Amino acid sequence: MKLLPLFLRKPIEAVYERRLAATLVGLPRPQHVGIMVDGNRRWARKAGHTDVREGYRAGGAKVTTFLGWCTAAGIEHVTLFMLSDDNLGRPAEELGPLIEVIEETVRDITAEGRDWEVRAIGSLDMLPGTSARVLKEATAATTGRGGLKVDVAVGYGDRREIVDAVKSAFEEHIAAGGDPAELVARFGIDDISRHLYSPVADHTDFIIRTSGEQRLSGFLLWQSAYAEMHWVDCYWPAFRHVDFLRALRSYANRERRFGK
């Protein structure tokens, strides 16, 4: 069947989107959403670009749009998975442009006038050049804004985060004059949760991954113990508002039992 012409398709999609949004009124919403912004390079190649940086740029622009959708939907906290610690091993000619786009994206979402409180989380000191300083300075300006909480995961890996949380718990205990053996005897889940990179991220309600891949790839492993997962076939730059609304509908239709 032939696709409808664009001038017809757009109005029809708009009507469908409004109706879909109306069906979500009063239904449960996730409060903390993790989003794996995957497929930028593949989108660029599919779109005919010879330079994959075009995919990174398109993906970076979509971040601001997505956060606007989340704000309108009443979501309180978003974690964006933009670069894993494994990705830091990519060739410099590929990694450099990607980090540049991440820096530009963070500058955009932290700009004056935005009501978002942004943090950069991950192994920032492993980033090349001045990237760690750029990200920290940009996000520091958003402290106390009180709007949507946004964690930008850069150089992030959850196994590394868990190790760092354990180290931090012991360092804090020892610095206060405590006996390490005493902490070992009572060490529990809360000791790790309190020392994660983001102090408000001890659990995640909903994780979305674009590009059709169906794995977590080291994203929020600790926080997602009872998270609902949603896989989207489109690449991140092509992720639409209707795709987001469908994801929220999928979440609302699930029964969350938390192991009970």
Side-chain angles (χ1 to χ4, degrees):
M1 188 174 86
K2 292 183 179 180
L3 290 174
L4 289 171
L6 185 61
F7 75 92
L8 290 176
R9 193 163 67 245
K10 286 287 186 180
I12 293 172
E13 288 179 352
V15 170
Y16 170 69
E17 190 173 304
R18 287 195 296 271
R19 289 180 176 176
L20 179 56
T23 66
L24 296 174
V25 175
L27 296 182
R29 299 286 175 91
Q31 293 307 299
H32 180 193
V33 174
I35 179 81
M36 306 177 74
V37 296
D38 196 20
N40 297 299
R41 291 181 297 176
R42 282 170 284 173
W43 176 89
R45 296 187 186 105
K46 185 177 180 181
H49 298 292
T50 56
D51 187 348
V52 296
R53 286 178 292 188
E54 294 301 322
Y56 297 149
R57 294 188 185 105
K62 181 54 62 76
V63 166
T64 305
T65 302
F66 176 75
L67 294 180
W69 297 341
C70 290
T71 300
I75 292 166
E76 296 180 356
H77 185 190
V78 172
T79 300
L80 298 155
F81 196 15
M82 300 195 72
L83 183 74
S84 75
D85 53 354
D86 292 331
N87 295 154
L88 294 174
R90 290 181 178 178
E93 61 271 17
E94 182 180 332
L95 182 62
L98 174 55
I99 291 181
E100 287 177 9
V101 169
I102 291 173
E103 291 178 2
E104 291 171 4
T105 302
V106 170
R107 288 192 187 99
D108 183 24
I109 66 176
T110 59
E112 188 174 350
R114 302 236 188 249
D115 187 27
W116 300 328
E117 188 166 344
V118 185
R119 290 169 49 95
I121 64 172
S123 302
L124 302 183
D125 293 338
M126 294 176 62
L127 299 177
T130 61
S131 295
R133 178 177 58 79
V134 169
L135 297 177
K136 289 175 182 177
E137 289 179 355
T139 56
T142 72
T143 301
R145 285 187 179 174
L148 175 70
K149 295 185 182 300
V150 182
D151 290 331
V152 182
V154 185
Y156 174 88
D158 194 77
R159 288 182 294 184
R160 189 184 301 274
E161 180 180 25
I162 293 170
V163 170
D164 286 348
V166 173
K167 288 180 178 178
S168 178
F170 273 88
E171 288 169 354
E172 178 184 82
H173 183 74
I174 292 169
D179 180 358
E182 185 272 330
L183 180 58
V184 169
R186 65 167 179 80
F187 198 82
I189 290 174
D190 288 343
D191 291 292
I192 292 180
S193 292
R194 287 189 300 105
H195 290 87
L196 296 172
Y197 293 149
S198 177
V200 296
D202 58 342
H203 72 275
T204 307
D205 299 307
F206 196 36
I207 292 181
I208 302 169
R209 181 169 187 164
T210 57
S211 85
E213 304 291 350
Q214 298 185 17
R215 58 181 181 273
L216 284 175
S217 300
F219 182 50
L220 300 178
L221 300 178
W222 180 271
Q223 299 91 329
S224 64
Y226 293 105
E228 302 294 329
M229 310 293 177
H230 185 77
W231 319 111
V232 186
D233 285 336
C234 69
Y235 301 132
W236 171 244
F239 188 68
R240 304 166 299 168
H241 189 215
V242 69
D243 298 314
F244 177 63
L245 294 176
R246 285 170 174 165
L248 293 182
R249 180 179 62 185
S250 173
Y251 177 87
N253 289 334
R254 302 183 192 189
E255 181 184 358
R256 303 191 71 198
R257 295 189 296 271
F258 300 97
K260 295 180 182 177

